[in-house]
Amino acid sequence: MAKPDLRICHLYPELMNIYGDRGNIIALMQRCRWRDFGVRVVQLSLGDRLDPAEHDFYFIGGGQDREQILVSEDLSSEKGEALRQAVEDGAALLSICGGYQLLGNHFLTYTGEDLPGISLFDVKTIGGETRFIGNVAVASELEGTGGTLVGFENHSGRTHLGSGCRPLGRVIKGYGNNGEDGHEGCVYRHAVGTYLHGSLLPKNPLLADWFILQALRRRHDLEGLPALDDALENAAHRAALEFTLREKSWRRRLRKS
Ligand code: GLN
């Protein structure tokens, strides 16, 4: 069997990258290298063409409202359609916070800009008067991702899911999609949107491997992935989880938008 090779497309790396979101790409590359898989990353930004057949995994990080305006315009070209096509064809995708919002139906910012999304996810986001900030612990509902997810959120947007997608998980601590319904993130096919910055994948190794496996299965016949020694990653996960569950002050961590 041909050696598996993961083809990553990193979208808008210079515009959409806060709280270490780029670390998600580094984690995926390293987990492929440890397994002696091939891996390559193509960066695409404003005006670049996206060929949906060329990549197995797409990543878009978080961003401020002003960067989101530029990206929303760019995605409203054929690039948005190409990205939807890639996910329909089985590609995996991770989008964080500002990126997640722009893949939904629309994002109405707190200052009144209505940014159209590409409707890859059936979600709507409205900016609120306060920001949701702090560590988050989530009970994952994504099969094979091991119970809990940990991360950090900072957003004014409140996201509500429509019937066309399901939540990534339920908030144990933190705000998640909107601070009301207990949902965190969304899942459609092999695409995930989430508010969890951090970076997310280094300390949630089962989720990292879920993306690698789904992405590789597009072109490779794989039952599963060779196991790695995740002692350090699991210790980081546990430490973040324990710290987050012990925190008493999270409900007060609301700031003006
Ligand atoms: N600007 C968006 C919001 O405040 C996204 C922020 C982010 O990506 N952290 O909701």
Short mmCIF file of all heavy atoms in Angstrom, two decimals, residues 16 18-19 21 61-65 68 96-99 101 107 125 127 131 154-158 195 197, ligand 1:
data_model
loop_
_atom_site.label_atom_id
_atom_site.label_comp_id
_atom_site.label_asym_id
_atom_site.label_seq_id
_atom_site.Cartn_x
_atom_site.Cartn_y
_atom_site.Cartn_z
N MET A 16 -6.05 35.06 9.73
CA MET A 16 -6.87 34.31 10.68
C MET A 16 -5.96 33.41 11.51
O MET A 16 -5.77 32.23 11.20
CB MET A 16 -7.92 33.48 9.93
CG MET A 16 -8.81 34.29 8.99
SD MET A 16 -9.92 35.41 9.85
CE MET A 16 -11.18 34.29 10.40
N ILE A 18 -5.13 33.53 15.72
CA ILE A 18 -4.95 34.11 17.05
C ILE A 18 -4.91 33.00 18.10
O ILE A 18 -5.36 31.89 17.84
CB ILE A 18 -6.03 35.17 17.39
CG1 ILE A 18 -7.42 34.73 16.98
CG2 ILE A 18 -5.70 36.50 16.74
CD1 ILE A 18 -8.49 35.77 17.25
N TYR A 19 -4.32 33.34 19.24
CA TYR A 19 -4.18 32.37 20.35
C TYR A 19 -3.57 31.06 19.89
O TYR A 19 -4.03 29.98 20.27
CB TYR A 19 -5.53 32.12 21.03
CG TYR A 19 -6.19 33.35 21.52
CD1 TYR A 19 -7.43 33.74 21.04
CD2 TYR A 19 -5.56 34.15 22.46
CE1 TYR A 19 -8.04 34.90 21.49
CE2 TYR A 19 -6.16 35.31 22.91
CZ TYR A 19 -7.39 35.68 22.43
OH TYR A 19 -7.98 36.82 22.88
N ASP A 21 -3.52 29.49 16.97
CA ASP A 21 -4.28 28.59 16.09
C ASP A 21 -3.37 27.83 15.12
O ASP A 21 -3.64 26.69 14.75
CB ASP A 21 -5.34 29.36 15.30
CG ASP A 21 -6.51 29.79 16.17
OD1 ASP A 21 -6.69 29.19 17.25
OD2 ASP A 21 -7.22 30.73 15.79
N GLY A 61 -8.26 29.55 10.97
CA GLY A 61 -8.22 29.94 12.38
C GLY A 61 -9.16 31.09 12.70
O GLY A 61 -9.99 31.49 11.88
N GLY A 62 -9.00 31.63 13.90
CA GLY A 62 -9.85 32.73 14.36
C GLY A 62 -9.30 34.08 13.91
O GLY A 62 -8.15 34.18 13.48
N GLY A 63 -10.13 35.09 14.00
CA GLY A 63 -9.69 36.43 13.59
C GLY A 63 -10.58 37.49 14.18
O GLY A 63 -11.68 37.20 14.67
N GLN A 64 -10.10 38.71 14.12
CA GLN A 64 -10.91 39.84 14.58
C GLN A 64 -11.94 40.19 13.52
O GLN A 64 -11.79 39.84 12.35
CB GLN A 64 -10.02 41.07 14.85
CG GLN A 64 -8.79 40.79 15.69
CD GLN A 64 -9.15 40.27 17.08
OE1 GLN A 64 -10.29 40.42 17.52
NE2 GLN A 64 -8.20 39.65 17.75
N ASP A 65 -12.96 40.96 13.94
CA ASP A 65 -14.03 41.32 13.00
C ASP A 65 -13.46 41.96 11.73
O ASP A 65 -13.94 41.69 10.63
CB ASP A 65 -15.02 42.29 13.66
CG ASP A 65 -15.81 41.65 14.82
OD1 ASP A 65 -15.50 40.49 15.18
OD2 ASP A 65 -16.71 42.32 15.35
N GLN A 68 -12.13 39.48 9.43
CA GLN A 68 -13.24 38.63 8.95
C GLN A 68 -13.97 39.29 7.78
O GLN A 68 -14.49 38.59 6.91
CB GLN A 68 -14.23 38.37 10.09
CG GLN A 68 -13.69 37.41 11.14
CD GLN A 68 -14.69 37.19 12.26
OE1 GLN A 68 -14.77 37.98 13.18
NE2 GLN A 68 -15.47 36.14 12.17
N ILE A 96 -11.83 27.52 13.44
CA ILE A 96 -11.86 28.00 14.83
C ILE A 96 -12.50 29.38 14.87
O ILE A 96 -12.13 30.27 14.08
CB ILE A 96 -10.43 28.12 15.40
CG1 ILE A 96 -9.57 26.89 15.10
CG2 ILE A 96 -10.47 28.45 16.89
CD1 ILE A 96 -9.75 25.72 16.00
N CYS A 97 -13.40 29.57 15.76
CA CYS A 97 -13.95 30.87 16.16
C CYS A 97 -14.32 31.76 14.96
O CYS A 97 -15.30 31.49 14.29
CB CYS A 97 -12.97 31.55 17.11
SG CYS A 97 -13.71 32.86 18.08
N GLY A 98 -13.52 32.79 14.65
CA GLY A 98 -13.85 33.68 13.53
C GLY A 98 -13.97 32.91 12.22
O GLY A 98 -14.81 33.25 11.37
N GLY A 99 -13.14 31.89 12.03
CA GLY A 99 -13.24 31.06 10.83
C GLY A 99 -14.52 30.25 10.82
O GLY A 99 -15.22 30.16 9.81
N GLN A 101 -17.31 31.02 12.30
CA GLN A 101 -18.45 31.92 12.06
C GLN A 101 -18.65 32.17 10.56
O GLN A 101 -19.79 32.21 10.08
CB GLN A 101 -18.20 33.25 12.78
CG GLN A 101 -18.17 33.12 14.30
CD GLN A 101 -17.64 34.36 14.99
OE1 GLN A 101 -17.05 35.24 14.36
NE2 GLN A 101 -17.84 34.43 16.31
N PHE A 107 -22.65 36.19 9.81
CA PHE A 107 -22.18 36.71 11.10
C PHE A 107 -22.54 38.19 11.14
O PHE A 107 -22.01 38.99 10.36
CB PHE A 107 -20.66 36.51 11.22
CG PHE A 107 -20.05 37.17 12.44
CD1 PHE A 107 -20.73 37.27 13.66
CD2 PHE A 107 -18.74 37.68 12.39
CE1 PHE A 107 -20.14 37.87 14.78
CE2 PHE A 107 -18.15 38.27 13.50
CZ PHE A 107 -18.86 38.38 14.69
N THR A 125 -24.60 33.49 13.45
CA THR A 125 -23.88 34.10 14.57
C THR A 125 -24.22 35.58 14.67
O THR A 125 -24.24 36.29 13.66
CB THR A 125 -22.36 33.94 14.37
OG1 THR A 125 -22.06 32.55 14.22
CG2 THR A 125 -21.60 34.49 15.56
N GLY A 127 -23.13 39.03 16.99
CA GLY A 127 -22.22 39.58 18.00
C GLY A 127 -23.00 40.15 19.18
O GLY A 127 -24.04 40.79 19.00
N ARG A 131 -18.08 39.93 25.70
CA ARG A 131 -17.28 38.85 25.11
C ARG A 131 -17.24 37.67 26.06
O ARG A 131 -17.17 37.85 27.28
CB ARG A 131 -15.85 39.33 24.84
CG ARG A 131 -15.75 40.49 23.89
CD ARG A 131 -14.30 40.73 23.49
NE ARG A 131 -13.80 39.68 22.63
CZ ARG A 131 -14.05 39.59 21.32
NH1 ARG A 131 -14.80 40.49 20.72
NH2 ARG A 131 -13.57 38.60 20.61
N ASN A 154 -12.61 33.22 23.26
CA ASN A 154 -12.70 34.68 23.38
C ASN A 154 -13.49 35.19 22.18
O ASN A 154 -12.94 35.36 21.11
CB ASN A 154 -11.30 35.32 23.41
CG ASN A 154 -11.40 36.83 23.58
OD1 ASN A 154 -12.48 37.42 23.54
ND2 ASN A 154 -10.25 37.47 23.77
N HIS A 155 -14.78 35.39 22.37
CA HIS A 155 -15.61 35.80 21.23
C HIS A 155 -16.80 36.62 21.68
O HIS A 155 -17.31 36.43 22.79
CB HIS A 155 -16.10 34.57 20.45
CG HIS A 155 -16.77 33.51 21.28
ND1 HIS A 155 -18.12 33.26 21.21
CD2 HIS A 155 -16.29 32.62 22.18
CE1 HIS A 155 -18.43 32.26 22.05
NE2 HIS A 155 -17.34 31.85 22.64
N SER A 156 -17.22 37.52 20.79
CA SER A 156 -18.47 38.25 21.06
C SER A 156 -19.62 37.54 20.36
O SER A 156 -20.77 37.70 20.74
CB SER A 156 -18.37 39.69 20.54
OG SER A 156 -18.56 39.73 19.15
N GLY A 157 -19.30 36.75 19.34
CA GLY A 157 -20.35 36.09 18.56
C GLY A 157 -21.07 35.02 19.35
O GLY A 157 -20.45 34.25 20.08
N ARG A 158 -22.39 35.00 19.19
CA ARG A 158 -23.23 33.92 19.74
C ARG A 158 -23.72 33.12 18.54
O ARG A 158 -24.39 33.68 17.64
CB ARG A 158 -24.45 34.48 20.45
CG ARG A 158 -24.24 34.90 21.88
CD ARG A 158 -23.52 36.20 22.02
NE ARG A 158 -23.60 36.73 23.37
CZ ARG A 158 -22.66 37.47 23.95
NH1 ARG A 158 -21.54 37.77 23.29
NH2 ARG A 158 -22.83 37.94 25.16
N TYR A 195 -15.28 26.99 18.95
CA TYR A 195 -14.72 28.21 19.54
C TYR A 195 -13.41 27.95 20.28
O TYR A 195 -12.85 28.86 20.86
CB TYR A 195 -15.76 28.85 20.48
CG TYR A 195 -16.73 29.73 19.72
CD1 TYR A 195 -18.04 29.36 19.51
CD2 TYR A 195 -16.29 30.93 19.16
CE1 TYR A 195 -18.92 30.16 18.79
CE2 TYR A 195 -17.15 31.74 18.43
CZ TYR A 195 -18.46 31.35 18.25
OH TYR A 195 -19.30 32.15 17.51
N HIS A 197 -9.84 27.82 20.92
CA HIS A 197 -8.47 28.19 20.54
C HIS A 197 -7.51 27.41 21.44
O HIS A 197 -7.91 26.64 22.28
CB HIS A 197 -8.23 29.67 20.81
CG HIS A 197 -8.99 30.62 19.96
ND1 HIS A 197 -8.62 30.95 18.69
CD2 HIS A 197 -10.10 31.35 20.22
CE1 HIS A 197 -9.46 31.85 18.20
NE2 HIS A 197 -10.38 32.11 19.10
N1 GLN B 1 -14.46 38.41 15.88
C1 GLN B 1 -15.17 37.24 16.29
C2 GLN B 1 -15.89 37.42 17.62
O1 GLN B 1 -15.52 38.26 18.41
C3 GLN B 1 -14.21 36.07 16.36
C4 GLN B 1 -13.14 36.20 17.42
C5 GLN B 1 -12.12 35.09 17.43
O2 GLN B 1 -11.84 34.46 16.40
N2 GLN B 1 -11.50 34.87 18.57
O3 GLN B 1 -16.83 36.73 17.87
#
